[in-house]
């Protein structure tokens, strides 16, 4: 009996062991098969992706790179000769105050080389004539003023003469300048003020000049800088446009522009700086279509590319002596004539 029970028990254990082994074998086989299936799926997925990529269905083309205008190393627009090439110095968006000062002064130095003959473009022989001519230059060209003032000063050579003038006769002379009634009132009024308050002499102080009819800070600095040799910044329309293009300042108010730009330069440079900037604005860096391709300071200008960059096309945009045309003064300084500049014709000529 004991032997039979023992044999039965052994057979039972042996059966369980065989079932376990079979089950383990089946599990291993299943896992191996699953692994093969997974690998096959991955391979199929990769093949599908590769096929799509080869057809271009799943890959988008990168947009074409935008062309960026690059300033030439050195453009030349001189009357005579050329300058050696210089490295392009584009200011970064976060230009430091020190870097701004250096760039601004470098621009002024290079403009001084381009316009060594720069001067006030109004004909005058004394402070009174310059004061009157500057008042008349509002909303018109210096050329038109220069063509008009010879008749005015021939008839009214002194403040006393103009103060006592018949307004209708003065209006007729000043008609070519535009706004002739308002300008007549201003020049007669300032002449009377000179006679009554300053003994017929033009004062040499800013605070006195701005009290005269029709005289603001811009006019006062023109007179102080060019008739009295006292430094001043002339913020006219050209000056305002260029200093913003060059990122010297973002201000739009003339007084704030004057203060911002004045802080970049020593006071002794102010008058000549004004001439250099204004001359460049009239001849090359125009408001609507700057001649970028003919600009001698293109390598320093952050606004390069706003205008015509083709050198030959840009050359056709140059004005006055830079384009081979007459200047604005009927009687320009000898240095201007020596540099190749041409005097302007009188009113009614040609």
């Amino acid at each position: 009996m004991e032997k039979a029970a023992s044999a039965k028990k052994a057979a039972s254990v042996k059966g369980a062991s065989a079932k376990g082994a079979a089950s383990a074998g089946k599990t291993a086989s299943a896992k191996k098969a699953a692994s093969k299936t997974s690998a096959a799926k991955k391979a199929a997925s990769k093949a599908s992706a590769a096929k799509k990529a080869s057809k271009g269905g799943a890959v988008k083309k990168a947009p074409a790179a935008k062309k960026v205008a690059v300033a030439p190393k050195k453009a030349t627009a001189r009357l005579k000769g050329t300058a050696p090439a210089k490295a392009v110095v584009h200011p970064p968006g976060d230009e430091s105050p020190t870097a701004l000062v250096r760039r601004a002064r470098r621009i002024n130095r290079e403009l001084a080389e381009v316009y060594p003959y720069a001067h006030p473009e109004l004909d005058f022989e004394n402070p009174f004539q310059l004061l009157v001519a500057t008042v008349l230059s509002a909303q018109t060209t210096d050329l038109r003023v220069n063509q008009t003032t010879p008749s005015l000063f021939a008839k009214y050579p002194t403040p006393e003469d103009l103060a006592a003038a018949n307004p209708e006769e003065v209006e007729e002379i000043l008609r070519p300048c535009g706004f002739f009634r308002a300008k007549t009132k201003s020049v007669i009024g300032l002449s009377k003020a000179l006679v009554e308050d300053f003994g017929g002499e033009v004062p040499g102080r800013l605070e006195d000049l701005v009290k005269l009819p029709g005289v603001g800070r811009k006019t006062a600095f023109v007179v102080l800088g060019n008739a009295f040799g006292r430094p001043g910044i002339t913020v006219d329309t050209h000056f305002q446009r260029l200093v913003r293009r060059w990122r010297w300042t973002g201000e739009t108010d003339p007084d704030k522009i004057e203060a911002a730009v004045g802080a970049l330069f020593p006071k002794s440079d102010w008058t000549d700086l004004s001439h250099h900037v204004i001359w460049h604005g009239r001849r090359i860096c125009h408001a609507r279509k700057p001649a970028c391709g003919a600009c001698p300071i293109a390598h320093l200008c952050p606004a390069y590319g706003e205008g015509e960059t083709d050198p030959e096309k840009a050359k056709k945009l140059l004005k006055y002596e830079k384009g081979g045309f007459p200047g604005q003064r009927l009687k320009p300084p000898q240095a201007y004539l020596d540099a190749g500049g041409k005097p302007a014709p009188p009113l009614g000529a040609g």
Side-chain angles (χ1 to χ4, degrees), residues 6-72:
S6 177
K8 192 176 181 179
K9 187 176 182 182
S12 176
V13 170
K14 189 176 180 181
S17 176
K19 283 183 182 179
S23 176
K26 284 182 181 179
T27 302
S29 177
K31 282 184 179 179
K32 191 173 180 180
S35 176
K36 284 182 179 180
T37 303
S38 176
K41 283 183 179 179
K42 284 182 180 179
S45 177
K46 284 182 180 179
S48 176
K51 190 175 180 181
K52 284 182 180 179
S54 67
K55 289 182 179 179
V59 180
K60 291 183 180 178
K61 288 185 179 179
K66 189 178 179 182
K67 272 193 172 182
V68 178
V70 178

Side-chain angles (χ1 to χ4, degrees), residues 209-265:
L209 284 169
V210 294
K211 292 177 183 176
L212 299 172
V215 178
R217 288 179 69 86
K218 184 193 85 170
T219 297
F221 281 130
V222 170
V223 175
L224 290 172
N226 299 288
F228 293 99
R230 296 177 183 173
I233 293 178
T234 304
V235 185
D236 74 345
T237 181
H238 303 288
F239 193 95
Q240 292 184 50
R241 181 178 74 253
L242 266 62
V243 298
R244 286 199 296 272
R245 266 185 185 163
W246 296 335
R247 297 184 193 169
W248 288 4
T249 179
E251 299 290 351
T252 55
D253 178 76
D255 291 350
K256 291 181 179 179
I257 291 174
E258 178 195 323
V261 175
L264 303 176
F265 297 88

Side-chain angles (χ1 to χ4, degrees), residues 261-295:
V261 175
L264 303 176
F265 297 88
K267 196 171 182 179
S268 58
D269 288 353
W270 288 357
T271 299
D272 286 340
L273 168 70
S274 299
H275 291 322
H276 298 154
V277 175
I278 292 169
W279 274 60
H280 192 60
R282 286 175 172 167
R283 285 151 178 77
I284 297 177
C285 196
H286 313 307
R288 293 184 181 177
K289 200 169 185 180
C292 294
C295 179

Side-chain angles (χ1 to χ4, degrees), residues 12-336:
S12 176
V13 170
K14 189 176 180 181
S17 176
K19 283 183 182 179
S23 176
K26 284 182 181 179
T27 302
S29 177
K31 282 184 179 179
K32 191 173 180 180
S35 176
K36 284 182 179 180
T37 303
S38 176
K41 283 183 179 179
K42 284 182 180 179
S45 177
K46 284 182 180 179
S48 176
K51 190 175 180 181
K52 284 182 180 179
S54 67
K55 289 182 179 179
V59 180
K60 291 183 180 178
K61 288 185 179 179
K66 189 178 179 182
K67 272 193 172 182
V68 178
V70 178
K73 288 186 178 179
K74 182 72 174 179
T76 54
R78 301 172 187 277
L79 290 177
K80 297 178 182 179
T82 58
K86 297 188 179 180
V88 176
V89 183
H90 282 306
D94 57 346
E95 186 176 32
S96 70
T98 301
L100 172 59
V101 168
R102 288 175 179 167
R103 182 170 61 87
R105 293 186 182 185
R106 183 175 171 186
I107 287 176
N108 186 42
R109 287 195 303 271
E110 297 200 11
L111 288 180
E113 294 176 8
V114 179
Y115 310 108
Y117 44 78
H119 54 266
E121 294 191 89
L122 291 167
D123 283 322
F124 70 99
E125 295 177 357
N126 54 56
F128 172 64
Q129 289 187 359
L130 179 57
L131 176 61
V132 171
T134 306
V135 169
L136 295 178
S137 69
Q139 304 299 315
T140 191
T141 64
D142 287 355
L143 171 59
R144 185 46 57 93
V145 174
N146 292 335
Q147 292 173 328
T148 305
T149 51
S151 298
L152 181 70
F153 295 139
K155 191 167 185 178
Y156 310 105
T158 68
E160 289 82 1
D161 295 322
L162 193 51
N166 181 335
E168 291 182 0
E169 293 179 1
V170 176
E171 284 178 3
E172 195 57 35
I173 294 174
L174 299 184
R175 188 178 292 272
C177 286
F179 301 96
F180 58 93
R181 290 191 179 89
K183 291 179 180 180
T184 294
K185 185 177 180 180
S186 291
V187 297
I188 290 179
L190 72 84
S191 296
K192 288 180 178 179
L194 290 176
V195 173
E196 295 170 2
D197 302 332
F198 300 101
E201 298 291 332
V202 176
R205 299 194 313 162
L206 176 65
E207 53 267 37
D208 292 330
L209 284 169
V210 294
K211 292 177 183 176
L212 299 172
V215 178
R217 288 179 69 86
K218 184 193 85 170
T219 297
F221 281 130
V222 170
V223 175
L224 290 172
N226 299 288
F228 293 99
R230 296 177 183 173
I233 293 178
T234 304
V235 185
D236 74 345
T237 181
H238 303 288
F239 193 95
Q240 292 184 50
R241 181 178 74 253
L242 266 62
V243 298
R244 286 199 296 272
R245 266 185 185 163
W246 296 335
R247 297 184 193 169
W248 288 4
T249 179
E251 299 290 351
T252 55
D253 178 76
D255 291 350
K256 291 181 179 179
I257 291 174
E258 178 195 323
V261 175
L264 303 176
F265 297 88
K267 196 171 182 179
S268 58
D269 288 353
W270 288 357
T271 299
D272 286 340
L273 168 70
S274 299
H275 291 322
H276 298 154
V277 175
I278 292 169
W279 274 60
H280 192 60
R282 286 175 172 167
R283 285 151 178 77
I284 297 177
C285 196
H286 313 307
R288 293 184 181 177
K289 200 169 185 180
C292 294
C295 179
I297 59 163
H299 57 294
L300 295 169
C301 181
Y304 176 81
E306 285 187 8
E308 181 58 66
T309 56
D310 180 83
E312 290 304 314
K313 292 180 180 178
K315 191 175 180 181
K316 295 177 182 178
L317 300 174
L318 301 181
K319 295 183 179 179
Y320 302 110
E321 77 282 353
K322 290 300 182 185
F325 306 111
Q328 300 200 73
R329 289 187 68 164
L330 278 65
K331 298 179 180 179
Q334 189 59 43
Y336 179 70

